Amino acid sequence: MYSGRSLLPRPRPLPLLLVTGGGYLGYQHYRKKGLQEDGAPPSPASPTQVALYRSFPMRFISRTWGRINEVELPTWLRKPLYSLYIWTFGVNMQEAAVEDLHHYRNLGEFFRRRLKPAVRPLCAASCVISPADGRILHFGQVKNSEVEQVKGITYSLETFLGPQQHLNSSSYSPSSPSSSSFKDLLLSSPENDLFHVVVYLAPGDYHCFHSPTDWKVALRRHFPGSLMSVNPGVARWVKELFCLNERVVLTGQWQHGFFSLTAVGATNVGSIRVYFDQELHTNVPRYSKGSFHDHGGVVCLDKEGVALHKGELLGEFNLGSTIVLLFEAPKDFKFNLLPGQRIRVGEGLGSL
């Protein structure tokens, strides 16, 4: 007897979106790869392409992944599962404080594994050291208040950091025709300049990050946002990727003036933890687009801020992401880096 029900399965919006969107992005990837092989540079994503990418439920997926990471694994499964991950991403377990794979009860503990103290010595000759293990995506001087996330692809310094309280002077206005005014007013001296460096953490890297110098954090600012991938291919494709993604910005002062460290979230990296800030909660289910949340003073410590020492353990990611340093220094500061080079915590970034 005919029941009146359709013989066709009811369409499910989420799988349909993932399949069609994934197919489209896959097509774009191979199209760009073909253009690169022909010698043509890849073109940045259009606003429509970025909107489609951002429509994927990356925050939900990342929260789900976070829950999976905390599921305790049976002892017999730990070694084969972690060994597969080690082989896939080239993890060096000889550096881990605990090399026994059975020790890590879940994937989260394995991702956040600590290192033996001696394997990351601090460079005494450099005033700024790498805060994380990873790869250098870009570095240099900040020009015209535009910062390069990779070569040729920039983002707005003001959008990335958000408004600064000390810029509320009569000499600065967001609509000022001088594109360099925001950058210039971050500087404490005309003899200095603003520098930046971007470190990308791959899934196989050590996932904790450390203080890159002796400095004092005066403000923690949390920007909820998207959780798009930050791998170099996507960073070359999506303009202002670092401004669209969720991030935690720490700003303060060091011996030469302004200093900031920003931890940028990514797909499956919804959790960004800063050890001195127990009130920070990232990748919450709901947020207002374009919003940010400040914590001045910073969090249940003295009103003058949080003093951090060079190499001090500062925070952690789940899986991998990106660290952006922006700092003021004398104009003769020189980076001792090459684009794309591998770097480890404690290695020098540059010198005066």
Side-chain angles (χ1 to χ4, degrees), residues 170-182:
S170 58
S171 61
Y172 175 75
S173 167
S175 60
S176 170
S178 172
S179 61
S180 64
S181 57
F182 184 88

PDB file of all heavy atoms in Angstrom, residues 170-182:
ATOM      1  N   SER A 170      44.139  63.934  19.373  1.00  0.00           N
ATOM      2  CA  SER A 170      43.600  64.743  18.289  1.00  0.00           C
ATOM      3  C   SER A 170      44.372  64.571  17.000  1.00  0.00           C
ATOM      4  O   SER A 170      43.900  64.918  15.930  1.00  0.00           O
ATOM      5  CB  SER A 170      43.625  66.219  18.705  1.00  0.00           C
ATOM      6  OG  SER A 170      44.954  66.622  19.021  1.00  0.00           O
ATOM      7  N   SER A 171      45.562  63.976  17.097  1.00  0.00           N
ATOM      8  CA  SER A 171      46.390  63.820  15.898  1.00  0.00           C
ATOM      9  C   SER A 171      46.035  62.585  15.098  1.00  0.00           C
ATOM     10  O   SER A 171      46.564  62.366  14.020  1.00  0.00           O
ATOM     11  CB  SER A 171      47.873  63.745  16.284  1.00  0.00           C
ATOM     12  OG  SER A 171      48.095  62.625  17.130  1.00  0.00           O
ATOM     13  N   TYR A 172      45.127  61.738  15.641  1.00  0.00           N
ATOM     14  CA  TYR A 172      44.796  60.508  14.934  1.00  0.00           C
ATOM     15  C   TYR A 172      43.298  60.362  14.760  1.00  0.00           C
ATOM     16  O   TYR A 172      42.518  60.632  15.672  1.00  0.00           O
ATOM     17  CB  TYR A 172      45.309  59.276  15.688  1.00  0.00           C
ATOM     18  CG  TYR A 172      44.858  57.996  15.033  1.00  0.00           C
ATOM     19  CD1 TYR A 172      45.448  57.554  13.857  1.00  0.00           C
ATOM     20  CD2 TYR A 172      43.802  57.262  15.564  1.00  0.00           C
ATOM     21  CE1 TYR A 172      45.013  56.397  13.241  1.00  0.00           C
ATOM     22  CE2 TYR A 172      43.365  56.107  14.944  1.00  0.00           C
ATOM     23  CZ  TYR A 172      43.977  55.684  13.785  1.00  0.00           C
ATOM     24  OH  TYR A 172      43.540  54.544  13.169  1.00  0.00           O
ATOM     25  N   SER A 173      42.912  59.945  13.581  1.00  0.00           N
ATOM     26  CA  SER A 173      41.518  59.622  13.298  1.00  0.00           C
ATOM     27  C   SER A 173      41.497  58.426  12.371  1.00  0.00           C
ATOM     28  O   SER A 173      42.317  58.327  11.467  1.00  0.00           O
ATOM     29  CB  SER A 173      40.823  60.800  12.605  1.00  0.00           C
ATOM     30  OG  SER A 173      39.574  60.378  12.066  1.00  0.00           O
ATOM     31  N   PRO A 174      40.600  57.445  12.585  1.00  0.00           N
ATOM     32  CA  PRO A 174      40.549  56.294  11.691  1.00  0.00           C
ATOM     33  C   PRO A 174      40.349  56.674  10.232  1.00  0.00           C
ATOM     34  O   PRO A 174      40.700  55.920   9.330  1.00  0.00           O
ATOM     35  CB  PRO A 174      39.354  55.490  12.234  1.00  0.00           C
ATOM     36  CG  PRO A 174      39.237  55.903  13.665  1.00  0.00           C
ATOM     37  CD  PRO A 174      39.647  57.351  13.685  1.00  0.00           C
ATOM     38  N   SER A 175      39.751  57.838   9.968  1.00  0.00           N
ATOM     39  CA  SER A 175      39.515  58.258   8.586  1.00  0.00           C
ATOM     40  C   SER A 175      40.621  59.168   8.069  1.00  0.00           C
ATOM     41  O   SER A 175      40.484  59.780   7.024  1.00  0.00           O
ATOM     42  CB  SER A 175      38.172  58.981   8.489  1.00  0.00           C
ATOM     43  OG  SER A 175      38.162  60.128   9.331  1.00  0.00           O
ATOM     44  N   SER A 176      41.719  59.250   8.820  1.00  0.00           N
ATOM     45  CA  SER A 176      42.821  60.114   8.415  1.00  0.00           C
ATOM     46  C   SER A 176      43.354  59.722   7.051  1.00  0.00           C
ATOM     47  O   SER A 176      43.499  58.532   6.761  1.00  0.00           O
ATOM     48  CB  SER A 176      43.957  60.032   9.446  1.00  0.00           C
ATOM     49  OG  SER A 176      45.118  60.671   8.964  1.00  0.00           O
ATOM     50  N   PRO A 177      43.667  60.675   6.164  1.00  0.00           N
ATOM     51  CA  PRO A 177      44.200  60.329   4.857  1.00  0.00           C
ATOM     52  C   PRO A 177      45.596  59.742   4.920  1.00  0.00           C
ATOM     53  O   PRO A 177      46.059  59.142   3.966  1.00  0.00           O
ATOM     54  CB  PRO A 177      44.208  61.680   4.117  1.00  0.00           C
ATOM     55  CG  PRO A 177      44.264  62.711   5.201  1.00  0.00           C
ATOM     56  CD  PRO A 177      43.497  62.129   6.339  1.00  0.00           C
ATOM     57  N   SER A 178      46.291  59.891   6.032  1.00  0.00           N
ATOM     58  CA  SER A 178      47.633  59.323   6.170  1.00  0.00           C
ATOM     59  C   SER A 178      47.523  57.861   6.558  1.00  0.00           C
ATOM     60  O   SER A 178      47.124  57.533   7.661  1.00  0.00           O
ATOM     61  CB  SER A 178      48.426  60.073   7.240  1.00  0.00           C
ATOM     62  OG  SER A 178      49.651  59.415   7.492  1.00  0.00           O
ATOM     63  N   SER A 179      47.886  56.942   5.630  1.00  0.00           N
ATOM     64  CA  SER A 179      47.729  55.517   5.863  1.00  0.00           C
ATOM     65  C   SER A 179      48.701  54.994   6.902  1.00  0.00           C
ATOM     66  O   SER A 179      48.529  53.904   7.413  1.00  0.00           O
ATOM     67  CB  SER A 179      47.909  54.743   4.554  1.00  0.00           C
ATOM     68  OG  SER A 179      49.213  54.967   4.025  1.00  0.00           O
ATOM     69  N   SER A 180      49.746  55.771   7.198  1.00  0.00           N
ATOM     70  CA  SER A 180      50.738  55.289   8.148  1.00  0.00           C
ATOM     71  C   SER A 180      50.507  55.800   9.557  1.00  0.00           C
ATOM     72  O   SER A 180      51.275  55.505  10.460  1.00  0.00           O
ATOM     73  CB  SER A 180      52.138  55.697   7.675  1.00  0.00           C
ATOM     74  OG  SER A 180      52.258  57.105   7.659  1.00  0.00           O
ATOM     75  N   SER A 181      49.437  56.603   9.797  1.00  0.00           N
ATOM     76  CA  SER A 181      49.254  57.245  11.089  1.00  0.00           C
ATOM     77  C   SER A 181      49.055  56.242  12.216  1.00  0.00           C
ATOM     78  O   SER A 181      49.555  56.448  13.316  1.00  0.00           O
ATOM     79  CB  SER A 181      48.087  58.227  11.030  1.00  0.00           C
ATOM     80  OG  SER A 181      46.905  57.569  10.612  1.00  0.00           O
ATOM     81  N   PHE A 182      48.334  55.163  11.975  1.00  0.00           N
ATOM     82  CA  PHE A 182      48.113  54.178  13.033  1.00  0.00           C
ATOM     83  C   PHE A 182      49.433  53.544  13.441  1.00  0.00           C
ATOM     84  O   PHE A 182      49.740  53.427  14.634  1.00  0.00           O
ATOM     85  CB  PHE A 182      47.128  53.103  12.562  1.00  0.00           C
ATOM     86  CG  PHE A 182      46.783  52.100  13.633  1.00  0.00           C
ATOM     87  CD1 PHE A 182      45.730  52.344  14.510  1.00  0.00           C
ATOM     88  CD2 PHE A 182      47.501  50.928  13.765  1.00  0.00           C
ATOM     89  CE1 PHE A 182      45.410  51.429  15.507  1.00  0.00           C
ATOM     90  CE2 PHE A 182      47.189  50.007  14.759  1.00  0.00           C
ATOM     91  CZ  PHE A 182      46.146  50.262  15.621  1.00  0.00           C
TER      92      PHE A 182
END
